[in-house]
């Protein structure tokens, strides 16, 4: 079975995060955004849409050389329907909420309906899109391998974390519930034993929290510093309103760090049920933070995280591919 992966790497992810790890599937080829016109443009830059459109065209030109074409950021890189009379199967993984308007895309539903399979990263999405749009969906989880890195020395760590305090890391900005984050930080501002570490926050969040004494806003961290920070925190707090998969959640689990999580789909698909704290409303969350304590690393979380290793995900992909192959 010959497989072509078509897509790109999101540079906001750490070295061991990122869905482009799917391209390491055995005996497969990878056509990257960098292989097309304007491939030097990073995500978010003007002209990137044209680059991804060219990737789509190039993918179609060579598709008949393969049994399966997998557009692993399909909601970004598929611009038109695939023809019915083809001798190869087409699969897409989607990352965004297609019920919302997707920038640059007018007909994402029709495009996805022309495919042989659509992989979602949450079980709820697979069910919802199948019922609502008739898509041939399947839930196959995001993969993640435990980071391999040299931990910072104690002297280097002391430059940005006091390990005697209760350290809480909050990573990323997509779909963040900023109001909940602000409420929690404000509620414990008198407790100087609690410190929040913000990594990858948007400018609005940075501006709102810039003067908070119990908040450290980190500038860009290299992977070694990033993983060392997570590993030395007591909790990872994720005030999210939506998720399909979360690299930060899997990073925290793989390093044995417990998480403070909302009860939403896309989080519950990946989180260990026993070792984390879950909240349904702000009152429950406020009560938890009033009684929060330091934590030791959880070996159970580390062991649990291995079920999402890319080798295990590759096995699920292989089973799926075998069911949809045309040739």
């Amino acid at each position: 079975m010959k497989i072509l992966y078509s897509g790109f790497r999101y540079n906001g992810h750490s070295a061991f995060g990122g869905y482009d790890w799917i391209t390491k599937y055995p005996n497969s080829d990878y056509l990257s955004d960098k292989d097309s016109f304007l491939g030097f443009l990073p995500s978010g830059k003007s002209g990137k849409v044209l680059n991804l459109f060219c990737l789509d065209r190039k993918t179609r030109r060579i598709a008949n050389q393969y049994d399966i074409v997998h557009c692993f950021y399909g909601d970004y890189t598929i611009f038109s329907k695939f023809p019915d009379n083809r001798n190869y199967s087409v699969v897409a993984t989607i990352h965004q909420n297609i019920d919302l308007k997707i920038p640059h895309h007018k007909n994402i539903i029709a495009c996805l309906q022309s495919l042989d399979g659509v992989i979602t990263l949450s079980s709820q999405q697979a069910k919802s899109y199948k019922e609502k749009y008739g898509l041939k969906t399947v839930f196959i989880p995001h993969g993640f391998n435990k980071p391999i890195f040299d931990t910072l020395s104690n002297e280097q760590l002391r430059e940005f974390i006091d390990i005697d305090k209760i350290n809480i890391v909050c990573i990323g900005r997509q779909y963040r519930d900023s109001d909940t984050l602000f409420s929690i930080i404000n509620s414990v501002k008198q407790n100087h034993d609690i410190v929040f570490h913000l990594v990858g926050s948007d400018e609005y969040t940075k501006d709102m929290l810039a003067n908070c004494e119990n908040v450290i806003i980190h500038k860009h961290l290299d992977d070694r510093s990033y993983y060392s920070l997570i590993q030395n925190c007591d909790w990872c707090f994720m005030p999210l309103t939506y998720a399909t998969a979360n690299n930060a959640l899997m990073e925290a689990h793989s390093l044995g760090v417990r998480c403070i999580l909302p009860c939403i789909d896309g989080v519950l698909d990946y989180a260990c049920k026993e070792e984390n704290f879950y909240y349904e409303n702000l009152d429950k969350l406020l009560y938890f933070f009033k009684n929060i304590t330091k934590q030791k690393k959880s070996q159970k979380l580390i062991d649990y995280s291995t079920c999402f290793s890319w080798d295990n995900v590759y096995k699920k992909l292989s089973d799926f591919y075998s069911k949809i192959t045309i040739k």
Side-chain angles (χ1 to χ4, degrees), residues 56 60 71 73-82 92-115 117-118 125 129 133 135:
D56 181 27
R60 294 168 194 260
C71 302
Y73 274 106
D75 35 10
Y76 292 87
T77 64
I78 297 176
F79 286 79
S80 60
K81 296 192 295 184
F82 276 82
T93 301
I94 55 175
H95 301 255
Q96 299 189 75
N97 183 357
I98 62 172
D99 287 327
L100 302 177
K101 183 179 179 181
I102 294 179
H104 83 257
H105 218 310
K106 303 293 184 183
N107 62 337
I108 181 64
I109 304 301
C111 291
L112 296 176
Q113 287 172 334
S114 72
L115 307 185
V118 175
Q125 275 192 320
Y129 295 159
Y133 303 115
L135 300 181

Side-chain angles (χ1 to χ4, degrees), residues 38 40-51:
L38 298 178
F40 61 88
L41 291 173
S43 300
K45 291 294 184 180
S46 176
K48 189 61 180 179
V49 171
L50 180 57
N51 168 234

Side-chain angles (χ1 to χ4, degrees), residues 292-304:
I292 196 168
T293 59
K294 287 189 68 62
Q295 298 290 307
K296 294 181 179 179
K297 295 299 166 285
S298 167
Q299 185 61 45
K300 188 170 184 177
L301 278 181
I302 295 172
D303 294 341
Y304 173 85

